């Protein structure tokens, strides 16, 4: 199925001007046209051409092969990790990932309420492919030639399904290149629960290609503009554009407290949960903080009801949340996933970000902020901190992602090792 020989024929034909070679060239062209028009595959000079001819080939490569994965579910960042894992699996299999469905709502068990939302309603499809070119690619279902040319692969599960067995299965899938099906469909668990075989830098490469669609990024622009407007106070002379702000991803809601207490017990550590007092105290002790400064407090909606989240901050810090900013309406228009994506963007653009090192949301933010700042030790103008870990002088500990880690686990599901 290699076309390079045919290309040589054409090249040869173009270079020689004798009648004989021209005739030869025309015959070669005729053969190419036959390939395009004939429904059946046929042998040509030992090269077996596929029945669909050239249409399914991209710039002389082999015909595109695809990977299909189950709907991607749970929180925004679990979905991002799951998506990246699906991409990296496709890369391992030398396949294009069929654009998966994300989930608009946050449900863990009620499968029927997951509200599938197409990837390209959240992230830019073309942009993804152009930024990730040569690394991973997304395809559309309309790219498929034969929907029945498919094999269904069940991922194993349970304790006996080890990382090694999982990788062996993928490698096995890769081996049989002769009668490769057009599509490999993986069924079963969602990709977030698949085994991890990739280093942090591979995930970072995929995340870098995820650019929000304009509709959503404009919403975050509005929120950021409100924050800066507040920060600039009555000083209408200065431009709002560069008014700095801090974002604090504050996890103190009941569900989280139950979850983090359990985790502390299980891992016999005491620095996962932080109370509101601990957070506000540590934030006030960030070295070199210029006040007055607006603090955008990213919290679960349940905490917006009681306004106490804005109490207890030290002087010079001006805490705000969606309600105080008057942007609740902007969020309300959208389902959970988009709301979360807006908040993520607002935290990403903050001059200083403070989060919890055991939260996936915080961890992916710091990963992305680290990449944007040029990696470890190269820059300190995009500063991040973990409030659950004590740093110098009673402040939060500075936080940067080590991009050389060999698996995402080290940086995303909780760690107090946060420097690089
Ligand atoms: C993927 O395909 C390219 C050419 O299309 C080939 O060179 C490479 O060996 C393949 N990789 C794997 C892992 O099969
Ligand atoms: C589609 O693929 C199936 C399975 O490989 C095959 O049996 C069938 O002939 C194909 N159909 C066409 C139109 O190529
Ligand atoms: C938990 O950690 C403390 C010190 O951090 C240690 O003294 C204690 O033995 C540990 N408990 C268990 C059950 O490992």
């Amino acid at each position: 199925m290699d076309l390079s020989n045919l290309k040589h024929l054409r090249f040869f034909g173009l270079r020689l001007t004798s009648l004989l070679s021209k005739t030869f060239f025309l015959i070669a062209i005729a053969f190419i046209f036959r390939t395009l028009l004939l429904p059946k595959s046929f042998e040509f000079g030992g090269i077996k051409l596929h029945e669909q001819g050239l249409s399914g080939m991209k710039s002389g490569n082999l015909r595109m092969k695809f990977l299909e994965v189950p709907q991607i579910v749970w929180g925004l960042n679990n979905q991002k990790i799951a998506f990246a894992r699906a991409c990296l699996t496709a890369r391992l299999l030398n396949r294009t990932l069929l654009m998966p469905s994300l989930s608009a709502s946050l449900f863990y068990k009620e499968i029927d309420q997951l509200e599938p939302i197409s990837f390209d309603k959240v992230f830019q499809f073309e942009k993804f492919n152009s930024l990730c070119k040569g690394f991973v690619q997304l395809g559309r279902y309309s790219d498929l030639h034969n929907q029945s040319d498919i094999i269904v692969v069940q991922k194993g599960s349970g304790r006996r399904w080890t990382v090694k067995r999982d990788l062996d299965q993928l490698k096995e899938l890769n081996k049989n290149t002769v009668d490769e099906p057009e599509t490999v469909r993986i069924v079963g668990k969602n990709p977030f629960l698949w085994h991890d075989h990739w280093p942090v830098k591979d995930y970072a490469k995929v995340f870098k290609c995820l650019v929000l669609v304009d509709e959503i990024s404009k919403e975050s622009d509005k929120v950021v503009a409100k924050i800066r407007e507040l920060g600039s106070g009555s000083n209408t002379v200065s431009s709002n554009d560069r008014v700095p702000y801090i974002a604090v991803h504050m996890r103190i809601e009941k569900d989280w407290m139950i979850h983090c207490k359990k985790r502390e017990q299980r891992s016999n550590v005491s620095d996962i949960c932080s109370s509101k007092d601990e957070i506000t105290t540590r934030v006030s002790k960030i070295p070199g903080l210029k006040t007055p400064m607006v603090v955008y407090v990213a919290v679960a909606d349940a905490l917006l009801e009681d306004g106490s989240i804005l109490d207890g901050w030290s002087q010079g810090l001006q805490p705000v949340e969606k309600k105080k900013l008057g942007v609740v309406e902007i969020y309300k228009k959208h389902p959970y996933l988009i709301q979360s994506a807006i908040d993520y963007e607002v935290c990403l653009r903050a001059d200083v970000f403070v989060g919890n090192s055991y939260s996936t949301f915080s961890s992916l933010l710091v990963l992305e902020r680290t990449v944007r700042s040029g990696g470890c030790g190269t820059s300190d103008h995009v500063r991040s901190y973990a409030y659950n870990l004590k740093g110098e002088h009673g402040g939060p500990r500075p936080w940067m992602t080590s991009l050389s880690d060999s698996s995402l686990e080290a940086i995303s599901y909780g760690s107090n090792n946060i420097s690089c």
Side-chain angles (χ1 to χ4, degrees):
M1 295 214 289
D2 189 342
L3 278 184
S4 58
N5 287 2
L6 272 181
K7 276 197 184 146
H8 274 135
L9 283 179
R10 280 177 69 183
F11 188 56
F12 182 61
L14 285 168
R15 280 217 326 207
L16 299 179
T17 47
S18 80
L19 186 64
L20 187 70
S21 60
K22 270 186 184 159
T23 315
F24 188 49
F25 173 67
L26 287 176
I27 292 171
I29 292 289
F31 267 111
I32 292 168
F33 271 97
R34 264 188 70 190
T35 324
L36 284 167
L37 299 173
L38 280 183
K40 287 250 176 259
S41 63
F42 69 117
E43 298 278 333
F44 172 68
I47 313 156
K48 190 165 185 275
L49 292 164
H50 211 279
E51 48 239 287
Q52 271 85 15
L54 294 171
S55 59
M57 312 194 179
K58 284 217 162 166
S59 55
N61 287 333
L62 295 179
R63 184 161 149 228
M64 285 213 287
K65 304 278 182 180
F66 300 92
L67 174 73
E68 188 186 294
V69 301
Q71 182 180 343
I72 286 173
V73 302
W74 301 348
L76 168 73
N77 290 288
N78 294 338
Q79 293 193 41
K80 278 168 91 165
I81 291 173
F83 171 78
R85 200 159 283 167
C87 284
L88 295 171
T89 302
R91 177 174 155 83
L92 185 73
L93 297 176
N94 242 0
R95 284 169 180 270
T96 297
L97 180 66
L98 281 169
M99 187 171 70
S101 276
L102 305 176
S103 303
S105 61
L106 179 63
F107 279 98
Y108 290 88
K109 297 207 176 77
E110 301 88 337
I111 301 295
D112 53 325
Q113 295 183 58
L114 281 172
E115 288 182 52
I117 178 172
S118 173
F119 172 89
D120 60 359
K121 289 274 184 298
V122 185
F123 300 106
Q124 296 182 33
F125 178 88
E126 301 294 343
K127 188 87 181 174
F128 181 90
N129 276 347
S130 74
L131 290 173
C132 260
K133 197 162 188 206
F135 190 65
V136 292
Q137 291 289 280
L138 287 176
R140 295 185 186 273
Y141 280 81
S142 56
D143 295 335
L144 290 178
H145 287 90
N146 182 348
Q147 304 210 354
S148 346
D149 191 10
I150 188 166
I151 59 161
V152 177
V153 175
Q154 174 84 46
K155 274 247 184 190
S157 63
R159 216 178 319 155
R160 289 174 61 201
W161 189 258
T162 57
V163 177
K164 185 178 176 302
R165 281 184 70 177
D166 189 72
L167 192 58
D168 287 346
Q169 183 191 40
L170 295 178
K171 285 181 176 158
E172 197 57 41
L173 269 174
N174 226 355
K175 261 190 197 157
N176 193 1
T177 46
V178 187
D179 285 321
E180 257 189 308
E182 186 178 358
T183 306
V184 169
R185 173 187 291 162
I186 296 185
V187 296
K189 289 189 296 198
N190 101 73
F192 182 66
L193 298 175
W194 294 1
H195 282 296
D196 186 9
H197 305 296
W198 299 278
V200 172
K201 65 172 175 38
D202 284 4
Y203 284 91
K205 272 189 196 167
V206 176
F207 294 147
K208 254 181 130 169
C209 308
L210 291 173
V211 179
L212 290 174
V213 294
D214 287 345
E215 192 205 344
I216 302 174
S217 72
K218 276 184 190 142
E219 299 287 55
S220 4
D221 291 345
K222 286 185 211 159
V223 178
V224 170
K226 284 269 186 194
I227 295 172
R228 296 209 154 122
E229 198 182 302
L230 217 83
S232 73
S234 54
N235 186 359
T236 46
V237 183
S238 81
S239 146
N240 288 346
D241 286 356
R242 286 307 324 150
V243 175
Y245 69 96
I246 311 177
V248 180
H249 176 224
M250 197 149 151
R251 297 225 59 180
I252 52 166
E253 70 275 17
K254 217 156 122 204
D255 300 8
W256 167 263
M257 286 322 247
I258 293 169
H259 165 78
C260 78
K261 287 286 177 209
K262 270 195 200 142
R263 252 191 104 151
E264 284 190 340
Q265 276 168 8
R266 212 169 355 124
S267 17
N268 194 25
V269 292
S270 60
D271 50 14
I272 302 179
C273 310
S274 288
S275 65
K276 189 190 139 224
D277 283 349
E278 186 172 76
I279 298 171
T280 51
T281 306
R282 287 199 172 150
V283 168
S284 70
K285 293 184 176 164
I286 292 174
L289 209 58
K290 287 196 183 69
T291 53
M293 174 98 84
V294 177
V295 181
Y296 176 71
V297 190
V299 280
D301 279 352
L303 291 174
L304 293 178
E305 293 317 315
D306 104 68
S308 69
I309 206 89
L310 301 180
D311 302 336
W313 295 83
S314 73
Q315 248 196 337
L317 295 180
Q318 194 182 354
V320 294
E321 23 73 319
K322 294 171 199 165
K323 235 174 154 174
K324 180 101 184 263
L325 279 176
V327 295
V328 171
E329 291 309 312
I330 295 179
Y331 283 86
K332 259 197 188 157
K333 278 189 291 185
H334 301 285
Y336 156 80
L337 184 72
I338 313 289
Q339 294 186 13
S340 204
I342 298 171
D343 250 6
Y344 185 90
E345 196 65 22
V346 172
C347 292
L348 192 62
R349 297 193 207 164
D351 300 78
V352 178
F353 171 73
V354 197
N356 187 307
S357 69
Y358 283 82
S359 144
T360 315
F361 185 95
S362 292
S363 300
L364 288 203
L365 264 163
V366 175
L367 169 62
E368 211 161 331
R369 289 169 64 90
T370 303
V371 170
R372 287 187 176 202
S373 72
C376 273
T378 52
S379 165
D380 63 357
H381 69 270
V382 181
R383 292 182 297 166
S384 311
Y385 295 90
Y387 57 63
N388 59 309
L389 302 172
K390 196 169 172 192
E392 282 176 14
H393 314 299
R397 196 177 298 171
W399 185 2
M400 274 220 166
T401 304
S402 164
L403 293 170
S404 56
D405 256 312
S406 61
S407 98
L408 196 63
E409 187 155 3
I411 61 131
S412 70
Y413 318 122
S415 170
N416 48 23
N417 185 11
I418 58 164
S419 54
C420 52

